Amino acid sequence: MARADDAADRRRVIGHGSVDDDGKPKRTGRKNRSDSPDQSGTVWTASAHIITGVIGSGVLSLPWSMAQLGWVAGSVTLFLFAVVTYYTSALLADCYRCDDAVTGKRNYTYMEAVESYLGSRQVWFCGLCQYVNLVGTAIGYTITASISAAALYKADCFHKNGHSADCGVYTTMYMAVFGISQVVFSQLPNLHEIAWLSILAAVMSFSYSAIGVGLALAQTISGPTGKTTMGGTEIGVDVTNSAQKIWLTLQALGNIAFAYSYSMVLIEIQDTVKAPPAENKTMRRANLLGVSTTTAFYMLCGCLGYAAFGNAAPGNMLTGFGFYEPFWLIDFANICIVVHLIGAYQLYCQPIYAAVEKWAAARWPGSDFVVRQYHPFAGGNFSVSMFKLVWRTAFVAVSTVLAILMPFFNAILGLLGALAFWPLTVYFPVEMYKRQSKVERFSKKWVVLQSLSFTCFAVTVAVTVASVQGITQSLNNYVPFKTKL
């Protein structure tokens, strides 16, 4: 009875007050007078955040992934990952509020949701998985952006000097420049303040994906095209032995998993959405729009890219130089990639920034270095603390150095996809949903959810082993700071 009264009280607060059940400002879509940021997100802004987070480095590797898997397994795998991602994201959206998806107390981060439903014991495992993956994603995006920036020089060089010219270029300088740009953007306050950056990045992702699809379609129609098979790369022709075929197939699964990975920032995206309507309803629509849109692009990019290049598809469809002309269009596509990844980098790093800054403020509440806010622009709302300036700059610097030391595109993407897929995309959403919905042990739904979780766990283990093997093999012939595109 007390629980029902509490829920009724929450409904009255949500329906009529300016403050939500936990004392935080309501998401009404109107500018409030509190110090909290205005949270007026809609299904469209949430979809833009999702598309920005989903369509990133992964889309560029899909023709290569299709080449490893072939027409049948490649297409089925893309579809299955889309279904699993949407389903588990819908489960996670329902866990934004505790006990009741409409009236319950909000969780503001992925880890808060895990702690609310599963207890503090699993928070450490969640935090390890989430933040390792977020840091890894920052490294992966630095690698990808630098490759695309270097490809601008290389495309112009090929256009001027011919396709057989030596146009190799070191990527270290481009990584450093990308890192410097991220130092500036990292001082933006939080996700609520960078909706414009996500929308711009989403437009860029559509642009370069469309260009990739268009170029692949033109190549497929006009020729010449590569050899394609139902089973992908052939032993003795494209790969040396069956072991290499297995390793590359598993890495391809990791690349596809990474292409769909965004659940670790879904709660933060949902926290930008206004209510009413209930946040979980808005996010279900945003998830459906975001995942279906990206899947359509992925099918087009993967299938048309594979049709154009065949089993010899490059690891990165826009920088592996399967396309040479028109060089200006390839240049524009790579500029779009860089702009998109600037926004996506911030989308994935904001939760890391927020977690460390929240911890520091609680640990040293009286320190001017930590809590004192400076306003560098007179009359503006922008503020920064010295701790924020130093910490965010240091994070960007470290992630940039790590990217320079491990610039292995496909193997890194495969490892990141594996590390995020089972724990963050499947395990925690499933376990939290089971607690919230009180799913009975050994019931039909329980068996289905457990089977899904176990299957995805097995995939994660296999892909992790394959990706580590790929990185280890690449390190055998690697000279630090001397990587050429």
Side-chain angles (χ1 to χ4, degrees):
M1 177 65 73
R3 200 176 189 84
D5 291 341
D6 289 344
D9 289 341
R10 284 176 180 146
R11 284 191 183 91
R12 285 194 291 271
V13 170
I14 293 171
H16 302 289
S18 61
V19 176
D20 209 338
D21 59 283
D22 50 4
K24 297 294 179 68
K26 276 179 56 182
R27 288 124 172 95
T28 62
R30 297 185 299 271
K31 189 71 176 177
N32 59 66
R33 296 181 181 178
S34 72
D35 293 331
S36 298
D38 179 31
Q39 288 154 314
S40 56
T42 65
V43 64
W44 299 109
T45 59
S47 298
H49 280 310
I50 290 171
I51 293 170
T52 300
V54 177
I55 299 181
S57 307
V59 69
L60 305 173
S61 68
L62 291 179
W64 178 85
S65 298
M66 286 288 294
Q68 311 314 311
L69 297 168
W71 283 117
V72 177
S75 301
V76 171
T77 300
L78 279 170
F79 178 75
L80 288 178
F81 271 101
V83 171
V84 171
T85 299
Y86 171 71
Y87 178 68
T88 57
S89 296
L91 300 183
L92 184 58
D94 285 343
C95 298
Y96 173 66
R97 289 182 179 270
C98 296
D99 300 323
D100 187 282
V102 178
T103 62
K105 183 179 180 297
R106 286 187 238 150
N107 297 297
Y108 295 94
T109 65
Y110 195 109
M111 288 180 63
E112 282 186 24
V114 171
E115 185 171 19
S116 297
Y117 286 100
L118 305 179
S120 57
R121 182 178 299 179
Q122 297 215 39
V123 169
W124 290 101
F125 176 53
C126 173
L128 177 65
C129 294
Q130 184 181 18
Y131 292 121
V132 164
N133 190 265
L134 289 172
V135 171
T137 300
I139 295 170
Y141 281 0
T142 302
I143 294 170
T144 309
S146 67
I147 290 173
S148 291
L152 293 170
Y153 165 82
K154 197 168 181 179
D156 292 344
C157 176
F158 281 137
H159 179 70
K160 293 176 181 177
N161 304 313
H163 300 169
S164 60
D166 180 11
C167 294
V169 56
Y170 293 110
T171 59
T172 301
M173 178 187 70
Y174 295 96
M175 292 188 192
V177 172
F178 182 81
I180 292 170
S181 72
Q182 290 302 330
V183 168
V184 176
F185 281 103
S186 69
Q187 302 309 314
L188 293 172
N190 49 48
L191 272 177
H192 312 291
E193 301 293 335
I194 59 173
W196 64 270
L197 188 59
S198 278
I199 292 171
L200 174 63
V203 172
M204 294 296 102
S205 68
F206 273 118
S207 299
Y208 71 72
S209 297
I211 291 170
V213 168
L215 290 172
L217 178 61
Q219 183 79 14
T220 302
I221 294 172
S222 63
T225 59
K227 177 186 177 183
T228 64
T229 59
M230 299 301 287
T233 52
E234 297 178 315
I235 299 171
V237 178
D238 306 298
V239 295
T240 56
N241 51 50
S242 58
Q244 186 182 21
K245 171 70 175 178
I246 293 171
W247 290 129
L248 293 178
T249 297
L250 291 173
Q251 285 185 37
L253 292 179
N255 277 229
I256 293 173
F258 178 79
Y260 279 107
S261 178
Y262 76 99
S263 60
M264 71 284 293
V265 295
L266 188 143
I267 294 291
E268 281 82 355
I269 293 173
Q270 190 163 346
D271 194 45
T272 68
V273 174
K274 67 181 179 181
E279 298 94 345
N280 66 321
K281 292 183 178 179
T282 300
M283 284 305 295
R284 281 176 184 262
R285 292 174 59 200
N287 282 322
L288 180 60
L289 182 60
V291 173
S292 59
T293 300
T294 55
T295 301
F297 270 108
Y298 285 179
M299 286 290 187
L300 287 171
C301 289
C303 293
L304 287 175
Y306 182 44
F309 301 123
N311 293 338
N316 185 321
M317 71 182 296
L318 288 175
T319 62
F321 288 92
F323 302 118
Y324 290 95
E325 301 292 342
F327 82 99
W328 59 267
L329 187 60
I330 297 170
D331 281 354
F332 178 71
N334 280 301
I335 290 172
C336 289
I337 292 171
V338 174
V339 173
H340 170 256
L341 293 181
I342 288 174
Y345 184 104
Q346 288 305 314
L347 180 67
Y348 277 89
C349 289
Q350 287 294 328
I352 305 175
Y353 299 154
V356 172
E357 287 158 19
K358 180 180 178 181
W359 170 81
R363 179 67 177 81
W364 298 288
S367 170
D368 285 348
F369 179 77
V370 174
V371 300
R372 184 178 178 183
Q373 298 293 317
Y374 297 88
H375 297 270
F377 304 109
N381 294 324
F382 179 75
S383 63
V384 64
S385 69
M386 291 304 298
F387 176 80
K388 174 182 172 181
L389 180 64
V390 172
W391 143 242
R392 296 190 180 193
T393 301
F395 174 85
V396 173
V398 171
S399 65
T400 302
V401 171
L402 290 175
I404 292 171
L405 294 175
M406 296 186 296
F408 313 123
F409 181 74
N410 292 106
I412 290 292
L413 293 195
L415 180 60
L416 292 175
L419 292 176
F421 179 59
W422 175 72
L424 298 176
T425 302
V426 180
Y427 173 73
F428 285 117
V430 165
E431 291 301 312
M432 287 190 289
Y433 174 78
K434 283 161 53 181
R435 292 288 180 89
Q436 185 192 65
S437 300
K438 298 178 176 58
V439 178
E440 292 186 10
R441 194 176 180 85
F442 300 115
S443 65
K444 183 178 179 180
K445 180 176 283 190
W446 185 90
V447 171
V448 170
L449 291 172
Q450 289 297 102
S451 299
L452 172 65
S453 184
F454 178 77
T455 302
C456 293
F457 173 74
V459 171
T460 288
V461 171
V463 173
T464 300
V465 172
S467 298
V468 170
Q469 187 272 344
I471 293 172
T472 303
Q473 189 175 41
S474 298
L475 284 171
N476 291 334
N477 302 315
Y478 171 64
V479 179
F481 306 103
K482 295 292 184 180
T483 302
K484 265 191 173 185
L485 176 65

